[in-house]
Amino acid sequence: MGKLTVTHTIIRTEKEEALKELITGDEAIARGAWEAGVRFAAAYPGTPSTEILENIATYPEIHAEWAPNEKVALESVIGASIAGGRALAAMKHVGLNVAADPLFTFAYIGVNAGAVVITADEPGQFASQNEQDNRNYAKAAMTPMFEPSDSQECKDMLIEAFEISEKHDIPVLIRMTTRVCHSKSMVELGERREIPIKPYTKDIKKYVAVPANARPMKVKIQQNRELLKEYSNNCLWNRIELGETKTGIICSGDCYLYAREVFGESASYLKLGFTNPLPDQMIKDFASKVEKLYIIEENDPYIEQHVRALGIDCDGKNLFPLNGEMTPEVIRRVIFGEEQALDEEVQAAVVGRPPTLCAGCPHRGFFYELGKRKNVMVSGDIGCYTLASGAPYHAMETTVCMGASISLGHGAQQVFDTIEGQTPRVVSVIGDSTFFHTGLNSLLDVAYNRSKVITVVLDNRITAMTGQQQNPGSGYTIQKDVTEAVNIEALVHAMGFQHVRTINPNQLDQVKETLDWALGMDEASVIITRWPCALKKFAPWDVEEFPGAFTETYLVDQEVCIGCRKCTRTGCPAVVFQFEIKKSSIDPDKCVGCSVCAQVCPVHAIQKVEA
Amino acid sequence: MSTTNILLTGVGGQGTILASKLLTLGLIAQGYDVKMSEVHGMSQREGPVLTHVRFGEKVFSPIVEKGKADVIMGFEELEVLRNLEYLRRDGQGIVIFNRVRVNPMGVQNGKEKYPLNGEELIRARAGKLIALDAQTLARDLGTPRVMNIILLGVLIRELGLENIDWKRIIAENVKPKFVELNQKAFEMGKNLTKN
């Protein structure tokens, strides 16, 4: 996952001459961006949207950038649009919360060249902190919205979205979901349309959203909406598929595919692809043709509430769950009461395979030590290191959203400090990419409002969790061109912090001593743990800075091992405890020589393998 | 024709992704409608992998329903067990299963036990079980890495899809210096269950 898909396999089917490819929704969006003549694209990595920009970056005609966060990505897209180039921003659902501020007012000022925002929602929460339904954003920001169900629609709707954006002078939202992003289906390929750059003209009334200008902008959006309603009722993307009329189903996105799978020709469908504004007339027509009407949609009753507001009786969330994926299984269970009995014998035998920090992960040593500290509150953030909240570390107590570790920790410390007695000391932990994303603002809060929070930047030199994306600290752009790498220590000093240390998190003595140092002061400090992700492909400067990293292995001398299992408590997947002989061993294929287990062994049974 | 449902399951790094890619390319070349779904979570070593492949004349949903998989191709024993609920329950389901165990964390640190009766449980539920040690077979060919292609060969034979030009599909999709080895692995898998 997260790997750059550079080669596109071209398939020519025997039946037809058009070039077809089996690609994911994310890849189809990238292809659509290329075909639509997009000039500029920006994103911050986030599952399941990450591969959109990674694939866009393989087209030399599009200037693609990783932005430090989604707000920055969208704002640069607004600029690109105003300057006259078609532009696209892609993000996961929670990313749009960060970018919501520019989105709402972008809808007011409108575009010069077309602009599209992709939101990739996560029904079922495979890799996210919440399950919000971003269709609500389209409604709230009054932007037109498309909901593709497969890869072909991803491409086609994106191309159409640029037309709509330019015709109606407004940014367009495309709402994808995990399955749409990551499922592969056949897509017919087209050619790139070179859209000339539109000339920029100074237009203060259009682009400066001060109250006097913005009031008429809102009126314009409302007038536009009438035209868009007409479009919604007549466009290709909303269609009625008449089968048997006993059952009628209104659905959008991947729910259409699931409903078709379950009902086949035994029902009629109103398949919605353009869902803001919704096609009132079409909905009324459809409802009048069918006996029983179901609304099948993932997460919120977005369509259902609208249908009910039209005075149409239907079944929706009164039957279907508000959470999780609306898979064919769920539909079958709700409508037909069909449910597969649990195979209890198998269930009893199965054990979990929870995610773990990799062998050699630089977070291990730090959290192993931090987890031993008493009377601290660890304020956490979003990244691989969020796993430190689980076994065996239990060294993270809060996780809310990107960047929250530092500001949440700051607020907690301010309250703790008003209480008499031994109140907790807050340690806020945040990864390098998350720090650049929104941690910077929060750290300014700590400096400015003078709390004594200990902030730890876990700098593993890459954006790791989403699959090794470059960031402002890594020294490369998305195209792997060399660029500036921010100096975190200098940055933190410039904010006004006096106590700043950079340490190697694999050296437990250093970690211990540094935590003592920070906890011993009644002032704020910043600790930067600097060691690369074990999966990182090294840059030349990494080779220079971390010589010999990940080239060694360790082994257990079982004659010396006393079976105390201290090494297994580091949570390393390379350390195996052999129950039969009550001794530890190390898998030589997994060990990359971080030496954390060797440092915790009380009898020095773990030794480096000499080359 | 009806839709055929296949699940490929294993842990990260076992080559499920290449195997499913080759499979889908072959099916497309044969003129089938194909859909495939994979959920990506965190990027880390040895995480569970589950790939859904569906093919037929016209496929709607990209995901296989529980109790409807015609074939489960398992690269790792525990992951087969975990996903066994997907197998059809009419006794017609096929399980192709690689006798490899990759211990999860809980087993490794001694907190949990890797199920010892896995193969037995699978056998009792599969209409047909093909269990093999593809890793050793692959090692005999020169590298354990082609284990995935041996398994693909077994799958293709079970699906009766030998007439597709797999040789060409492999040649077009693996690095030139590994083409011959992968083709050999594929042939080996395909011929393994003859008789």
Side-chain angles (χ1 to χ4, degrees):
Chain A
M1 72 149 291
K3 296 278 149 45
L4 218 55
T5 316
V6 183
T7 47
H8 298 273
T9 317
I10 309 288
I11 299 137
R12 203 179 284 273
T13 64
E14 284 169 22
K15 286 182 198 158
E16 55 219 325
E17 278 306 294
L19 284 178
K20 279 191 161 191
E21 223 180 295
L22 185 75
I23 57 177
T24 62
D26 281 352
E27 290 166 330
I29 290 288
R31 177 74 189 196
W34 180 77
E35 290 182 18
V38 166
R39 304 266 179 170
F40 181 90
Y44 180 80
T47 309
S49 69
T50 310
E51 295 91 336
I52 294 174
L53 197 76
E54 287 182 327
N55 281 283
I56 287 179
T58 64
Y59 296 109
E61 295 90 344
I62 307 176
H63 182 91
E65 297 180 347
W66 286 132
N69 68 35
E70 295 85 355
K71 177 177 187 287
V72 173
L74 180 51
E75 288 158 351
S76 57
V77 158
I78 298 174
S81 161
I82 290 175
R86 284 189 165 186
L88 174 147
M91 56 201 69
K92 69 181 290 167
H93 61 333
V94 287
L96 193 53
N97 298 337
V98 180
D101 199 359
L103 177 72
F104 278 68
T105 307
F106 190 16
Y108 275 47
I109 67 169
V111 303
N112 181 20
V116 174
V117 180
I118 315 281
T119 168
D121 293 7
E122 274 244 299
Q125 284 182 255
F126 294 95
S128 302
Q129 66 267 40
N130 77 22
E131 200 190 40
Q132 66 189 51
D133 186 335
N134 276 5
R135 293 178 299 175
N136 297 307
Y137 269 120
K139 202 169 157 186
M142 297 181 286
T143 61
M145 171 170 60
F146 288 91
E147 281 187 72
S149 65
D150 63 13
S151 300
Q152 182 72 55
E153 286 188 351
C154 285
K155 197 194 82 165
D156 294 345
M157 287 180 181
L158 180 67
I159 294 168
E160 175 74 355
F162 280 102
E163 299 295 323
I164 294 289
S165 172
E166 285 169 5
K167 189 171 172 200
H168 295 274
D169 190 19
I170 194 161
V172 176
L173 193 67
I174 293 189
R175 190 248 192 172
M176 300 168 77
T177 55
T178 307
R179 292 292 178 183
V180 176
C181 290
H182 284 170
S183 293
K184 289 188 177 185
S185 56
M186 299 300 286
V187 174
E188 239 175 73
L189 305 180
E191 287 306 311
R192 180 171 167 92
R193 265 181 66 206
E194 279 306 339
I195 311 281
I197 297 223
K198 290 193 172 178
Y200 167 72
T201 39
K202 184 172 169 178
D203 189 347
I204 291 171
K205 268 193 161 22
K206 176 170 168 56
Y207 295 126
V208 179
V210 291
N213 296 340
R215 283 184 207 109
M217 289 177 194
K218 191 176 179 192
V219 174
K220 183 197 75 185
I221 298 179
Q222 285 154 347
Q223 287 164 348
N224 232 328
R225 201 167 168 81
E226 293 309 311
L227 296 172
L228 283 163
K229 274 184 187 166
E230 207 180 299
Y231 173 80
S232 187
N233 277 310
N234 297 295
C235 68
L236 291 167
W237 321 101
N238 296 334
R239 63 167 190 264
I240 291 173
E241 292 176 7
L242 272 189
E244 285 178 36
T245 54
K246 232 178 147 117
T247 307
I249 294 162
I250 304 182
C251 48
S252 66
D254 47 357
C255 292
Y256 164 70
L257 302 175
Y258 301 148
R260 278 296 310 240
E261 191 68 39
V262 173
F263 291 95
E265 307 290 322
S266 74
S268 293
Y269 305 87
L270 171 54
K271 192 245 183 249
L272 299 178
F274 184 78
T275 50
N276 194 42
L278 284 159
D280 293 354
Q281 198 49 51
M282 210 176 216
I283 292 170
K284 287 178 191 162
D285 286 351
F286 182 71
S288 71
K289 288 190 174 96
V290 298
E291 284 173 43
K292 178 125 191 75
L293 185 63
Y294 292 107
I295 316 296
I296 300 185
E297 57 190 323
E298 273 165 338
N299 293 354
D300 294 354
Y302 172 85
I303 300 169
E304 181 187 343
Q305 279 176 352
H306 189 84
V307 172
R308 288 189 191 278
L310 291 172
I312 298 167
D313 188 33
C314 61
D315 277 314
K317 296 297 175 182
N318 51 322
L319 302 177
F320 292 100
L322 281 156
N323 56 318
E325 289 187 284
M326 191 63 66
T327 58
E329 278 154 34
V330 174
I331 299 173
R332 260 184 237 285
R333 188 182 72 223
V334 170
I335 302 290
F336 304 114
E338 289 173 17
E339 192 164 10
Q340 183 169 278
L342 214 62
D343 189 333
E344 278 166 20
E345 199 183 1
V346 171
Q347 289 303 315
V350 171
V351 291
R353 195 182 294 281
T356 54
L357 297 176
C358 302
C361 175
H363 301 322
R364 173 165 292 105
F366 179 76
F367 283 102
Y368 178 81
E369 284 303 325
L370 183 61
K372 294 198 287 195
R373 298 294 165 142
K374 301 277 182 268
N375 208 29
V376 296
M377 173 198 168
V378 183
S379 178
D381 222 300
I382 298 186
C384 294
Y385 51 91
T386 312
L387 291 171
S389 62
Y393 317 101
H394 304 294
M396 184 175 296
E397 292 156 68
T398 62
T399 299
V400 179
C401 63
M402 297 281 286
S405 55
I406 302 175
S407 24
L408 187 158
H410 168 77
Q413 190 71 72
Q414 296 292 49
V415 170
F416 287 145
D417 285 354
T418 63
I419 307 167
E420 290 287 315
Q422 275 289 96
T423 54
R425 185 69 181 270
V426 176
V427 181
S428 299
V429 295
I430 186 166
D432 50 336
S433 193
T434 311
F435 180 63
F436 304 136
H437 181 278
T438 32
L440 287 169
N441 317 36
S442 302
L443 193 58
L444 273 173
D445 191 31
V446 175
Y448 173 58
N449 286 308
R450 316 187 91 174
S451 68
K452 60 178 193 192
V453 167
I454 299 164
T455 301
V456 184
V457 181
L458 305 158
D459 182 10
N460 64 358
R461 317 296 304 128
I462 202 78
T463 308
M465 186 169 63
T466 44
Q468 309 289 310
Q469 287 76 29
Q470 305 299 329
N471 69 40
S474 68
Y476 283 122
T477 66
I478 188 171
Q479 292 86 0
K480 300 279 165 64
D481 296 326
V482 174
T483 184
E484 295 300 323
V486 64
N487 179 332
I488 298 176
E489 201 173 300
L491 187 71
V492 168
H493 275 300
M495 285 183 182
F497 289 92
Q498 305 299 316
H499 311 293
V500 183
R501 277 196 188 177
T502 299
I503 61 166
N504 176 351
N506 292 335
Q507 296 304 315
L508 300 186
D509 285 343
Q510 225 180 91
V511 174
K512 255 183 264 184
E513 198 271 319
T514 305
L515 284 173
D516 288 342
W517 164 79
L519 289 163
M521 285 183 295
D522 210 28
E523 287 177 53
S525 59
V526 178
I527 302 167
I528 301 155
T529 68
R530 189 174 163 104
W531 197 262
C533 169
L535 305 184
K536 190 182 182 199
K537 195 163 175 256
F538 272 23
W541 47 86
D542 293 323
V543 178
E544 207 169 293
E545 185 181 349
F546 310 104
F550 308 121
T551 59
E552 294 167 347
T553 55
Y554 281 69
L555 60 77
V556 180
D557 182 344
Q558 294 193 329
E559 297 289 309
V560 183
C561 176
I562 53 169
C564 71
R565 293 166 68 182
K566 269 202 150 180
C567 52
T568 67
R569 273 175 227 131
T570 64
C572 179
V575 179
V576 182
F577 189 74
Q578 292 173 279
F579 247 80
E580 320 78 58
I581 54 169
K582 295 216 163 24
K583 304 270 180 192
S584 286
S585 66
I586 290 173
D587 183 341
D589 294 336
K590 291 184 190 169
C591 176
V592 290
C594 74
S595 83
V596 168
C597 59
Q599 294 173 62
V600 305
C601 178
V603 292
H604 306 290
I606 303 177
Q607 300 293 335
K608 184 160 45 170
V609 178
E610 296 303 333
Chain B
M1 65 166 284
S2 61
T3 302
T4 304
N5 297 313
I6 302 168
L7 278 184
L8 292 90
T9 178
V11 298
Q14 287 187 312
T16 52
I17 292 183
L18 178 64
S20 51
K21 181 182 173 186
L22 297 175
L23 171 64
T24 54
L25 290 176
L27 294 168
I28 290 162
Q30 192 71 353
Y32 288 114
D33 186 23
V34 181
K35 283 195 176 160
M36 171 181 156
S37 185
E38 241 162 32
V39 169
H40 306 158
M42 288 184 59
S43 162
Q44 31 120 24
R45 289 202 174 121
E46 292 191 354
V49 178
L50 181 63
T51 306
H52 303 239
V53 176
R54 307 188 72 222
F55 70 95
E57 205 174 294
K58 171 80 187 150
V59 180
F60 288 99
S61 166
I63 50 179
V64 175
E65 290 176 64
K66 284 176 186 151
K68 301 217 166 167
D70 298 289
V71 186
I72 293 180
M73 181 154 100
F75 289 62
E76 198 274 346
E77 189 177 324
L78 177 60
E79 294 312 308
V80 177
L81 266 190
R82 192 188 313 287
N83 295 297
L84 203 53
E85 57 184 349
Y86 281 96
L87 194 68
R88 47 196 286 186
R89 295 192 168 186
D90 58 359
Q92 301 292 307
I94 300 171
V95 177
I96 299 163
F97 135 66
N98 188 24
R99 284 201 183 99
V100 163
R101 289 178 178 179
V102 179
N103 286 338
M105 235 9 245
V107 172
Q108 225 155 271
N109 58 28
K111 290 212 169 83
E112 289 174 312
K113 291 246 185 303
Y114 196 104
L116 296 174
N117 59 340
E119 189 164 337
E120 205 179 297
L121 292 170
I122 297 165
R123 190 178 300 279
R125 284 153 184 81
K128 184 173 184 182
L129 173 69
I130 301 163
L132 63 151
D133 183 352
Q135 203 152 304
T136 305
L137 293 170
R139 210 170 275 134
D140 291 346
L141 282 179
T143 163
R145 293 186 67 88
V146 293
M147 157 185 111
N148 55 346
I149 306 302
I150 296 177
L151 287 163
L152 179 66
V154 177
L155 174 71
I156 294 312
R157 181 171 183 84
E158 288 309 311
L159 291 172
L161 293 170
E162 299 99 319
N163 55 333
I164 295 170
D165 191 354
W166 296 104
K167 216 171 159 177
R168 175 182 66 82
I169 284 158
I170 292 169
E172 286 173 0
N173 291 284
V174 304
K175 282 192 188 136
K177 64 174 180 174
F178 297 119
V179 167
E180 209 178 313
L181 183 63
N182 278 284
Q183 287 172 340
K184 244 163 90 182
F186 183 83
E187 283 302 311
M188 180 192 240
K190 207 175 75 182
N191 296 326
L192 217 55
T193 51
K194 257 188 186 158
N195 308 320

